[in-house]
Amino acid sequence: MQPLLEAGGIQRVGEIVIVGPPGAAKQPFLSALCPQVEITNQDIILGYLPIHDELMLYCYGISYGQGFAWDLVGRKMLGYIVIFDWFDDTAFAGSKEIVEFTASYFSAPFIIAADLSDRPLPIPESAVRPPIGLSTMSKFMFCRSSKPASVRKVVITLLDMLIEKLE
Amino acid sequence: MKDSTNTKQLVLIVDEATAETAQLIKVLGDYQIKAELRADNEEAYSYCVQHPPALLICEIKQENIDGIALLQRLREHNLTKSLPVVIAARVPELEERLKILHLDIDDFISKPYYPEEVAVRVDTILQELERHMGSSQREHGFTGNLEDMNLMDLIQTLELGGKSAIIHMMREPEEGHVYVLRGEVVDASLRDLGAEEALQNLMMWLHGHFDLNMLTFQRPRQINKSTRDLLVSGSQRIHAYKERANQLPPMDSVLARGGNEGLETLSDLERQIWALLSKPQPLRILISACRKDELRVLEAVQELLARGVIVSRAGSADSPDILTQNIMMRVSHAKEINKDPYSRIASFFKRGNGEKKKPSLMNEIPPVENQLTGPAAITQKIHLQRGDLLLIRQRLLSQ
């Protein structure tokens, strides 16, 4: 692992989690977001997003069934994104199960991101672009994991929810 | 009540002898789990390879303990490469915790711990091992079509992640199972075939459905080839199967008896095919009914077609059998879920209704407040201020 920041230099780190059912585009999502992405032996993907010398955002891509990974990051994450392939029935069912679990155990804000990848929707994109508020803690939105701008928009929406929570 | 003398329920703790470990051994005893302590790498390794415990609880770094080195050695030994391991360590720093993510372990517990919590986790893992000994009960997994992801793809995925799973494969009118333990294929079953032949045949199933259950199980190893070797030979067989199938009528086409000439010269397999075609039936069903290696069956069918002993007819066979109907019903149900995109979104609103489900792997995690102003002991480094969040936001907006 090659640290982007020198040991001792970093002061503040935020952690967010990107979780999804098997096959969810966690890696493309993180690659579109972070300049450096690593995959551990446990299939946990870690993306580093340095903001400046003393501030870093860690983005974990983990699977629902990785119990110990949740133990490591679940307690400290600022928020999380549940991503699933909108066109995959099994993935949709899997994402619901994830939301059931995460919403039961963690009170962090979260986004449910329906990944369209690069496939078209049968309805105008403008109709689905704005995030849909499910509650004060969760929003539903479409995204394209292959497009950095779309991925950033999801994370910015999550940040907005966090900022709003502080106000 | 578990049998505490059963070595399968013996847990080895590799840690220093402290009040904390003594308490843990006592609490594990309350759960009828016998625990022994070793405070030295060499002693622990010798113990494990001589009497593999049901589970290992290991510290990462103590005076005579190097948990990572021990884990690496255990994973290299045949008897202990699948040994469930729980790391229990004091690793407050993010960088250290990240290192643990790279280890091949089953669970991680931060110290200081509550012995009761550790005992519950250990008990859960042991119970899962017992429950899944030959069982196909679902824990976590997914289902799909073999057209999208065939057995080779599934095995490769499990191998890369070092995962354990039982893959249930369904192809009209048959079912088969493949058992993968920590990324290694250890057994397979299909018809009356031996394990390796069953696997080779299942690898050639390019249509149908699968149901993959991620779980750890105990099962005697029947396949000794490495997963890599199996994948290489599997891909060669798929290539041969596809080439052969391309020279035959579609799998759904109905085959029937042709002329009677040359029947006396048929091989045993060809004679079996002839006998099975006393009533016309689809090629797909015929292949299954032969209960033999599918590549050989295809070769025999091709030969019989070429000689005119059997012929291909247009049209479909009889109505689907119960298994086929069952599969069709499942597929139809899966499609139903996705009919209306708005009902999908609405279904998220409905979460929270009814009893919340606790996945077994997560039982032990207590509900946590992930607030930005959460407990300093846990969130010292994650204590971002509003300004930090705005900076991150600005950074993303400016990209």
Side-chain angles (χ1 to χ4, degrees):
Chain A
M1 185 179 298
Q2 190 179 352
L4 287 176
L5 298 174
E6 292 301 321
I10 189 158
Q11 299 297 317
R12 299 187 304 284
V13 176
E15 296 183 13
I16 63 169
V17 169
I18 290 84
V19 60
K26 298 189 289 285
Q27 192 173 353
F29 189 98
L30 285 170
S31 298
L33 179 68
C34 304
Q36 186 178 329
V37 174
E38 293 177 358
I39 302 175
T40 73
N41 290 345
Q42 299 292 329
D43 279 354
I44 294 167
I45 309 163
L46 177 61
Y48 302 86
L49 182 63
I51 308 303
H52 56 61
D53 286 349
E54 296 188 345
L55 179 61
M56 169 88 92
L57 188 66
Y58 282 83
C59 308
Y60 291 89
I62 66 178
S63 292
Y64 169 49
Q66 290 170 312
F68 70 93
W70 281 111
D71 192 15
L72 285 168
V73 299
R75 294 160 198 264
K76 309 196 333 178
M77 64 185 175
L78 298 172
Y80 56 99
I81 294 158
V82 180
I83 185 170
F84 71 99
D85 182 348
W86 175 253
F87 299 98
D88 180 345
D89 300 332
T90 311
F92 170 67
S95 66
K96 281 185 70 181
E97 193 177 342
I98 292 170
V99 171
E100 290 284 348
F101 162 68
T102 51
S104 299
Y105 283 94
F106 308 111
S107 64
F110 64 98
I111 304 278
I112 298 164
D115 180 24
L116 303 171
S117 190
D118 51 4
R119 288 162 292 187
L121 263 186
I123 50 178
E125 292 238 351
S126 57
V128 295
R129 200 168 291 150
I132 301 168
L134 301 180
S135 71
T136 54
M137 296 295 283
S138 59
K139 280 188 165 63
F140 178 95
M141 61 192 296
F142 287 94
C143 77
R144 294 193 181 277
S145 59
S146 54
K147 297 191 175 174
S150 176
V151 167
R152 285 198 298 271
K153 187 175 176 187
V154 175
V155 179
I156 287 169
T157 304
L158 181 64
L159 287 168
D160 286 343
M161 290 169 75
L162 289 163
I163 292 164
E164 193 177 336
K165 199 178 164 191
L166 283 179
E167 284 172 347
Chain B
M1 177 75 72
K2 297 180 185 74
D3 177 5
S4 59
T5 62
N6 184 346
T7 52
K8 284 184 179 175
Q9 295 303 323
L10 192 143
V11 168
L12 183 68
I13 302 170
V14 185
D15 203 341
E16 289 184 322
T18 61
E20 192 179 37
T21 48
Q23 181 65 15
L24 176 58
I25 291 171
K26 180 180 175 301
V27 176
L28 284 170
D30 295 341
Y31 279 76
Q32 308 301 319
I33 298 167
K34 186 179 173 186
E36 292 206 12
L37 181 71
R38 293 291 182 275
D40 177 274
N41 255 37
E42 280 307 314
E43 281 183 27
Y45 179 75
S46 300
Y47 186 99
C48 286
V49 296
Q50 285 170 28
H51 318 281
L55 184 142
L56 185 76
I57 301 174
C58 188
E59 168 60 87
I60 283 284
K61 205 77 186 169
Q62 292 288 6
E63 190 176 343
N64 294 316
I65 298 169
D66 182 341
I68 295 173
L70 176 61
L71 190 58
Q72 283 170 345
R73 287 182 70 191
L74 290 173
R75 292 290 179 246
E76 286 166 6
H77 196 286
N78 268 344
L79 283 175
T80 53
K81 65 182 178 185
S82 301
L83 178 67
V85 173
V86 174
I87 294 290
R90 285 183 179 79
V91 277
E93 298 304 313
L94 181 66
E95 289 73 16
E96 288 298 314
R97 292 190 293 120
L98 291 174
K99 284 181 189 170
I100 291 172
L101 289 177
H102 286 260
L103 299 177
D104 182 13
I105 59 171
D106 296 82
D107 207 345
F108 168 78
I109 299 165
S110 292
K111 280 186 174 180
Y113 51 63
Y114 293 103
E116 186 72 27
E117 182 198 353
V118 180
V120 169
R121 288 197 191 199
V122 168
D123 190 45
T124 304
I125 294 173
L126 293 178
Q127 277 187 32
E128 280 182 358
L129 283 173
E130 276 186 356
R131 190 166 63 244
H132 298 308
M133 196 187 297
S135 156
S136 63
Q137 185 173 338
R138 184 184 189 85
E139 288 296 331
H140 300 281
F142 56 102
T143 59
N145 296 323
L146 291 169
E147 289 92 333
D148 301 330
M149 204 172 185
N150 63 35
L151 181 58
M152 301 270 290
D153 301 325
L154 295 170
I155 291 175
Q156 209 160 16
T157 306
L158 292 168
E159 189 215 9
L160 284 171
K163 297 287 190 297
S164 299
I166 296 176
I167 307 167
H168 179 198
M169 297 182 62
M170 295 158 279
R171 189 191 68 175
E172 178 195 339
E174 290 187 292
E175 296 183 69
H177 291 88
V178 177
Y179 301 84
V180 183
L181 195 58
R182 292 189 185 282
E184 292 283 321
V185 182
V186 296
D187 198 4
S189 63
L190 175 68
R191 306 172 203 138
D192 308 322
L193 300 173
E196 197 172 319
E197 205 177 359
L199 179 73
Q200 287 172 344
N201 276 268
L202 288 168
M203 280 179 170
M204 292 187 293
W205 285 18
L206 303 178
H207 55 84
H209 305 272
F210 67 85
D211 188 354
L212 188 148
N213 294 309
M214 303 286 288
L215 50 87
T216 306
F217 55 87
Q218 289 186 344
R219 194 175 178 89
R221 184 164 189 150
Q222 304 291 342
I223 296 174
N224 292 312
K225 280 187 181 170
S226 73
T227 303
R228 282 281 155 205
D229 287 346
L230 292 169
L231 289 171
V232 169
S233 65
S235 62
Q236 288 166 346
R237 281 177 65 85
I238 286 180
H239 182 68
Y241 182 90
K242 281 181 173 171
E243 280 200 334
R244 185 73 60 181
N246 282 340
Q247 296 165 27
L248 289 169
M251 286 289 161
D252 288 325
S253 59
V254 177
L255 299 183
R257 287 181 175 178
N260 289 332
E261 283 180 25
L263 291 181
E264 65 283 358
T265 62
L266 297 184
S267 68
D268 288 347
L269 179 56
E270 289 169 343
R271 200 169 296 124
Q272 185 188 359
I273 292 170
W274 171 263
L276 287 166
L277 289 179
S278 59
K279 179 183 160 195
Q281 53 184 313
L283 174 57
R284 185 197 314 283
I285 304 293
L286 178 70
I287 292 169
S288 303
C290 285
R291 304 185 71 80
K292 295 278 189 340
D293 181 272
E294 295 187 13
L295 208 47
R296 284 183 52 218
V297 175
L298 287 188
E299 286 169 6
V301 168
Q302 190 179 10
E303 176 66 22
L304 291 172
L305 281 167
R307 286 158 53 187
V309 178
I310 61 174
V311 291
S312 169
R313 287 185 186 171
S316 62
D318 300 339
S319 59
D321 58 17
I322 292 172
L323 174 66
T324 311
Q325 287 174 22
N326 188 5
I327 291 170
M328 287 163 69
M329 197 171 70
R330 287 191 212 178
V331 173
S332 158
H333 176 72
K335 284 180 178 168
E336 194 68 25
I337 298 173
N338 196 27
K339 262 187 178 170
D340 175 10
Y342 297 102
S343 70
R344 281 180 143 206
I345 300 171
S347 68
F348 281 111
F349 286 97
K350 291 176 188 164
R351 68 176 182 76
N353 291 343
E355 191 178 342
K356 286 176 178 173
K357 185 181 171 188
K358 292 182 182 180
S360 64
L361 282 175
M362 318 294 181
N363 279 344
E364 61 280 357
I365 302 178
V368 180
E369 280 291 312
N370 298 68
Q371 297 192 2
L372 295 172
T373 52
I378 297 175
T379 59
Q380 203 164 16
K381 272 189 160 183
I382 321 294
H383 220 128
L384 298 192
Q385 305 296 320
R386 185 171 181 274
D388 296 326
L389 296 172
L390 288 169
L391 272 176
I392 298 171
R393 189 182 192 284
Q394 187 57 41
R395 161 74 196 273
L396 290 171
L397 278 173
S398 64
Q399 279 184 332

